[in-house]
Amino acid sequence: MRNDKDNIIVQLTFDLALDVISFTEELRAKHKYEMASQIFRCGTSIGANSREAQNAESRADFIHKFKIAAKEADELEYWLDLSEKSEYYPKPPVQISDRLKSVQLVLNKIISSSKKP
């Protein structure tokens, strides 16, 4: 059995997903369903892909899963920026942006170091 508690990216992305869930519930309560759905999907996908990478079939598969997670992180950043800048949406909590930046740094490091022979 895997012990994901010792895996920093799995834990970081799980914590980020919990923050995303809380924020999307706030958006839904304000009837901002489309934005909530977009943020929910990409924000939780980062962790799902990071966890899936833990069972990769090859190095290439491992890198591919983390590249998908990185793309989802970029998408989350986009939706959060829209929410932040729009006068019609609530501002995302600073904690989400802080966690997202940490996740992006770790993802980029994993991808770059995994490409080295």
Side-chain angles (χ1 to χ4, degrees), residues 70-81:
K71 287 180 182 183
E72 295 291 341
D74 286 344
E75 183 179 343
L76 176 59
E77 184 176 33
Y78 173 79
W79 292 114
L80 293 175
D81 285 347

Side-chain angles (χ1 to χ4, degrees), residues 51-89:
R51 186 173 278 191
E52 191 175 342
Q54 305 309 304
N55 292 310
E57 295 176 14
S58 65
R59 177 188 276 191
D61 186 38
F62 180 82
I63 293 168
H64 179 69
K65 299 291 187 230
F66 277 117
K67 282 185 174 182
I68 293 170
K71 287 180 182 183
E72 295 291 341
D74 286 344
E75 183 179 343
L76 176 59
E77 184 176 33
Y78 173 79
W79 292 114
L80 293 175
D81 285 347
L82 276 180
S83 187
E84 175 73 33
K85 304 288 188 225
S86 174
E87 63 183 273
Y88 303 105
Y89 288 89

Side-chain angles (χ1 to χ4, degrees), residues 1 19 23 36 38 42 46 52 63 66 72 82 92 103 105:
M1 180 178 202
D19 290 342
F23 182 54
Q38 292 290 350
C42 59
I46 301 164
E52 191 175 342
I63 293 168
F66 277 117
E72 295 291 341
L82 276 180
V103 165
L105 287 171

Side-chain angles (χ1 to χ4, degrees), residues 25-51:
E25 286 303 312
E26 179 185 340
L27 289 170
R28 286 186 175 104
K30 295 182 181 192
H31 307 288
K32 306 295 186 184
Y33 303 111
E34 293 84 1
M35 182 74 80
S37 293
Q38 292 290 350
I39 291 172
F40 185 89
R41 279 194 287 270
C42 59
T44 57
S45 177
I46 301 164
N49 280 290
S50 296
R51 186 173 278 191

